Amino acid sequence: MKPPIAIIGGSGVKSIIKGEEKIIGTPYGPTPTLTIGQVKGREAIYLPRHGEGHTAPPHKVNYRANIWGLKNLGVERIVATNAVGAIDTTLSPGEIVIPSDLIDFTKSRRGTFYDGSPVTHIDVSEPYCPTLRHAIASAGSDNKKNLRNDIVMACTEGPRYETPAEIRMLKTLGGGIVGMTGAPEAFLAREQEICYASISFISNMAAGLQRTLSAKEVEEKGRETGQILNKILIEAIGKIPDTREGCSCGRALAQAQLNKPEVKEQTC
Ligand code: HPA
């Protein structure tokens, strides 16, 4: 049996999986209700990031429980979806992009599984799995969507939207889109050696680039974009290779931990 693939759904993305419902207990608390079923003939798990009925705000999402719960079910690949605002003015609402890098501007979130020994410094030189990003891009092309895949996501703490000055700062730093859920999710997945990539849909221009921002507008754009997003998501899952030879996500801990005696190869 191949390991299941997980989808972490953000705002506006409906479950594309029908099946058994399950809550997993973790050292960090329970996961939301997961749906376990099939997509493109592969076992797939849907995790609603904000819980059922969208009750957890971005800064209160239990990211560690979510990632731990999926790891516990044998998940090796996660495709996440996020609603984002566009900082890059060549992007526009309704567009779907594949982030290539991430700037973490969150403040209060528990961002690691490694609070003690072994001291662990995970490498995030390539925070999103290249194989998953390629699968998403290729699913986009099949749907005649040339998805931009060179966009840097900035993750803010929320739950408020940003000020125009904050957006100008993020732009100076290279941010192309801004959302509230990209971090620490991507980093926690890497700590668990799970491949992770994101499909982000642009619900609005960021603060200062349109008149005002509204949560209702984000929700409505999510509903409008949902169908094509789900289509790309389903096809991307079908394109994920069975084995993880194309990336090093599954070996992320090998060089990351201090104070671990090296296993010496036996010579006799
Ligand atoms: N900022 C932060 N998060 C968001 C935005 C935004 O403009 N749009 C959707 N999620």
Side-chain angles (χ1 to χ4, degrees):
M1 186 78 172
K2 292 177 207 160
I5 293 172
I7 297 167
I8 300 183
S11 321
V13 180
K14 272 204 262 148
S15 169
I16 55 171
I17 302 168
K18 305 266 172 290
E20 183 196 354
E21 298 201 334
K22 218 176 196 172
I23 294 173
I24 305 291
T26 81
Y28 310 99
T31 63
T33 304
L34 310 175
T35 309
I36 305 174
Q38 299 265 320
V39 171
K40 291 269 177 186
R42 296 181 77 152
E43 194 183 352
I45 301 172
Y46 177 76
L47 186 150
R49 182 186 286 118
H50 299 275
E52 301 96 277
H54 201 110
T55 43
H59 64 298
K60 293 286 184 192
V61 168
N62 193 341
Y63 295 95
R64 293 197 296 183
N66 291 353
I67 298 296
W68 181 282
L70 294 177
K71 176 77 178 184
N72 206 259
L73 290 172
V75 166
E76 291 184 348
R77 267 81 165 256
I78 296 174
V79 181
T81 71
N82 318 84
V84 295
I87 299 173
D88 181 334
T89 50
T90 65
L91 298 171
S92 40
E95 215 169 321
I96 295 169
V97 300
I98 307 166
S100 59
D101 207 340
L102 179 58
I103 307 175
D104 184 0
F105 267 100
T106 63
K107 298 171 189 167
S108 71
R109 307 176 188 189
R110 305 299 296 272
T112 181
F113 290 108
Y114 293 98
D115 274 329
S117 182
V119 172
T120 302
H121 302 291
I122 211 80
D123 175 37
V124 282
S125 298
E126 193 169 23
Y128 297 107
C129 171
T131 305
L132 294 189
R133 292 178 65 239
H134 184 262
I136 300 165
S138 156
S141 304
D142 288 357
N143 281 281
K144 301 190 176 47
K145 295 269 177 201
N146 190 11
L147 307 184
R148 290 270 306 270
N149 64 358
D150 57 345
I151 310 287
V152 176
M153 178 188 306
C155 184
T156 54
E157 180 70 359
R160 65 168 175 85
Y161 291 116
E162 300 71 36
T163 64
E166 285 169 339
I167 292 301
R168 285 196 298 276
M169 173 192 72
L170 294 174
K171 187 177 179 124
T172 309
L173 298 177
I177 53 176
V178 59
M180 300 177 196
T181 52
E185 200 172 83
F187 305 130
L188 293 170
R190 182 60 57 82
E191 283 190 350
Q192 291 295 342
E193 300 186 321
I194 300 174
C195 295
Y196 178 100
S198 171
I199 310 184
S200 301
F201 75 91
I202 296 168
S203 52
N204 56 280
M205 297 309 291
L209 301 175
Q210 65 174 49
R211 211 166 55 83
T212 53
L213 300 189
S214 102
K216 279 249 172 304
E217 180 192 13
V218 170
E219 194 185 32
E220 271 161 30
K221 250 314 166 225
R223 230 174 286 126
E224 269 174 51
T225 326
Q227 220 176 356
I228 182 71
L229 193 70
N230 286 351
K231 207 157 179 255
I232 293 172
L233 207 46
I234 291 167
E235 281 177 33
I237 287 173
K239 288 175 182 291
I240 297 174
D242 288 347
T243 58
R244 298 211 287 169
E245 277 139 24
C247 67
S248 54
C249 309
R251 301 185 296 277
L253 290 172
Q255 304 291 326
Q257 297 182 325
L258 305 177
N259 309 325
K260 274 182 87 179
E262 266 186 42
V263 182
K264 289 247 162 49
E265 253 179 48
Q266 299 258 313
T267 49
C268 57

